């Protein structure tokens, strides 16, 4: 076993311990995949079919962000669209069928300063010759007064999860991207009215989604508007809105506030270990190569631009092929 370049004291002790053991007792994985969205599962499928016997750690949301969405109309292969959770269930079953070892745990520590790399979960420690990071991204929140306190009491980041609790209610959706349009449209199934509150004077959402929102009679739009505070004792009662065009503040009574302002990449484990960009996305070259040899990234964690299920799946495929070439080139297979 090839060991140590530099690592933390605890991991150094662990590797010294491994050196004392019979080396044949120590299993080194070919590859570990972190994340179970379209990128991770596709990487798993390709890695398994290349005989890499991949281990995939699902993370805290098995199936990733698509499990909290509704209908997916733009993933090729489904002529009438498919529900996000169903798509991810099929993908996971396909991964298992081709031999991916899916473990329902999260990596809590990754040490890329050792080689083989060390990946720790709550219950296990793995050594691996390569790593595919597909940890995705998490919903962002506004960070305003009342938001945290009233979370689950009228404030939500997921219309699919919470929309049905708001029958005949008046709701706000914050944001101007596709997520905001999608959440607003979904909420009209339950709510009496949905007001999209956006800080600019136009949306960045795709024109088809904007058009659907504009056409929906239950949807109202407030441009140039920012929510400054969410009021209520045990449930949302009103919000304070700042009209940034006319420079005035007012209170609007409301029953629920859905935040749909984008996502931050899940890269905490890799700070000071991999090069990240100014928004903390993993920097990649030649599509999947991170700043560390043998570590590849795919999906939303390294993609601030396209962020689509299908592009994530495609890059997951590329990451697995790149991993295989890396292991072959290093004579590690
Ligand atoms: P986006 O990053 O595209 O949009 C985020 C929106 O939130 C922007 O309008 C942004 O405003 C606003 N925003 C960000 N931070 C704040 C803040 N602090 N306060 C107020 N507003 C804020 O994220 P989405 O989640 O909408 O979409 C991500 C990607 O996923 C996109 O590529 C999108 O196309 C895709 N997607 C596709 C779907 C589909 O095809 N069905 C559905 C959902 C997402 P500003 O414009 O001023 O920057």
């Amino acid at each position: 076993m090839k060991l140590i370049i530099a690592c933390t004291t605890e991991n150094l002790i662990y590797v010294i311990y491994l050196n004392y053991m019979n080396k044949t007792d120590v299993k080194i994985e070919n590859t570990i995949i972190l994340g179970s969205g379209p990128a991770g599962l596709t990487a798993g499928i390709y890695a398994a079919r290349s005989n890499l016997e991949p281990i995939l750690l699902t993370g805290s949301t098995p199936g990733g962000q698509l499990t909290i969405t509704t209908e997916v109309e733009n993933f090729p292969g489904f002529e009438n669209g498919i529900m996000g959770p169903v798509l991810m269930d099929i993908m996971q079953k396909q991964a298992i069928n081709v031999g991916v070892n899916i473990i329902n745990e999260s990596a809590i520590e990754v040490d890329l300063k050792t080689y083989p790399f060390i990946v720790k979960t709550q219950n296990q420690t793995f050594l691996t010759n390569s790593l595919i990071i597909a940890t995705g991204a998490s919903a962002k929140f506004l960070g305003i007064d009342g938001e945290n306190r009233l979370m689950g009491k009228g404030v939500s980041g997921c219309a699919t999860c919470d929309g049905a609790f708001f029958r005949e209610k008046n709701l706000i959706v914050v944001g101007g991207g596709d997520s905001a349009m999608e959440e607003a449209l979904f909420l009209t199934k339950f709510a009496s009215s949905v007001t999209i509150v956006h800080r600019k004077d136009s949306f960045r959402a795709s024109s088809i989604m904007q058009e659907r929102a504009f056409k929906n009679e239950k949807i109202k739009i407030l441009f140039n508007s920012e929510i400054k505070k969410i009021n209520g004792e045990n449930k949302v009662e009103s919000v304070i809105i700042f009209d940034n065009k006319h420079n005035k503040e007012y209170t609007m009574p409301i029953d629920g506030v859905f935040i749909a302002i984008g996502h931050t990449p899940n890269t905490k484990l890799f700070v000071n270990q991999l090069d990240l960009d100014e928004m903390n996305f993993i920097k990649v070259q030649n599509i999947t190569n991170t700043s560390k040899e043998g570590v590849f990234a795919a999906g939303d964690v390294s993609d601030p631009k396209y962020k689509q299920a299908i592009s994530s799946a495609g890059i997951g495929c590329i990451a697995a092929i790149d991993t295989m070439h890396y292991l072959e080139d290093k004579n590690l297979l």
Side-chain angles (χ1 to χ4, degrees), residues 19 21 25 57 59 70 118 129 137 140-141 179 217 220 241 260 284 288 301 305 310-311 321 326:
N19 267 329
M21 291 173 64
D25 290 345
L57 301 177
T70 47
I118 296 176
N129 280 328
K140 283 201 296 195
F141 287 93
S179 295
E217 285 179 357
K220 301 171 202 168
I241 294 184
V284 281
T288 70
V301 75
K305 187 172 179 191
I310 189 64
S311 53
I321 294 172
Y326 165 78

Side-chain angles (χ1 to χ4, degrees), residues 77-225:
F78 303 95
E79 60 183 327
N80 298 315
I82 183 165
M83 297 303 281
V86 177
L87 176 62
M88 296 321 297
D89 191 44
I90 295 171
M91 244 187 246
Q92 173 157 329
K93 284 179 179 146
Q94 185 180 357
I96 291 168
N97 288 345
V98 296
V100 182
N101 180 2
I102 296 182
I103 299 175
N104 206 339
E105 285 196 73
S106 301
I108 55 168
E109 187 190 328
V110 172
D111 192 337
L112 304 177
K113 295 185 176 115
T114 65
Y115 198 84
F117 306 126
I118 296 176
V119 176
K120 289 183 182 175
T121 70
Q122 206 70 49
N123 303 311
Q124 317 181 55
T125 298
F126 299 96
L127 294 179
T128 182
N129 280 328
S130 67
L131 186 69
I132 299 176
I133 301 169
T135 47
S138 300
K140 283 201 296 195
F141 287 93
L142 293 165
I144 54 169
D145 199 4
E147 183 181 47
N148 220 359
R149 185 173 55 81
L150 293 165
M151 191 67 64
K153 296 172 183 165
V155 177
S156 170
C158 175
T160 327
C161 318
D162 300 329
F165 301 123
F166 293 90
R167 282 176 204 280
E168 310 300 325
K169 301 286 187 196
N170 296 308
L171 304 177
I172 278 176
V173 171
V174 187
D178 280 328
S179 295
M181 304 302 121
E182 191 176 69
E183 301 254 304
L185 287 161
F186 178 76
L187 289 169
T188 59
K189 293 181 187 186
F190 312 99
S192 306
S193 76
V194 179
T195 304
I196 302 177
V197 176
H198 183 43
R199 60 187 179 184
K200 291 195 180 137
D201 61 3
S202 63
F203 292 134
R204 73 159 76 168
S206 56
S207 39
I208 186 166
M209 296 295 279
Q210 290 196 35
E211 206 177 296
R212 285 181 197 171
F214 283 128
K215 271 189 188 157
N216 192 303
E217 285 179 357
K218 280 191 180 175
I219 294 181
K220 301 171 202 168
I221 290 158
L222 281 181
F223 284 122
N224 297 112
S225 300

Side-chain angles (χ1 to χ4, degrees), residues 310-321:
I310 189 64
S311 53
S312 292
I315 295 171
C317 153
I318 295 170
I321 294 172

Side-chain angles (χ1 to χ4, degrees), residues 64-81:
Q65 293 173 65
L66 281 187
T67 57
I68 52 165
T69 190
T70 47
E71 187 136 16
V72 178
E73 290 177 346
N74 51 11
F75 199 92
F78 303 95
E79 60 183 327
N80 298 315

Side-chain angles (χ1 to χ4, degrees), residues 278-295:
E278 63 286 350
M279 286 154 69
N280 287 328
F281 287 87
I282 294 177
K283 279 190 185 172
V284 281
Q285 284 190 326
N286 295 330
I287 307 179
T288 70
N289 290 265
T290 70
S291 53
K292 185 73 154 188
E293 201 186 25
V295 180

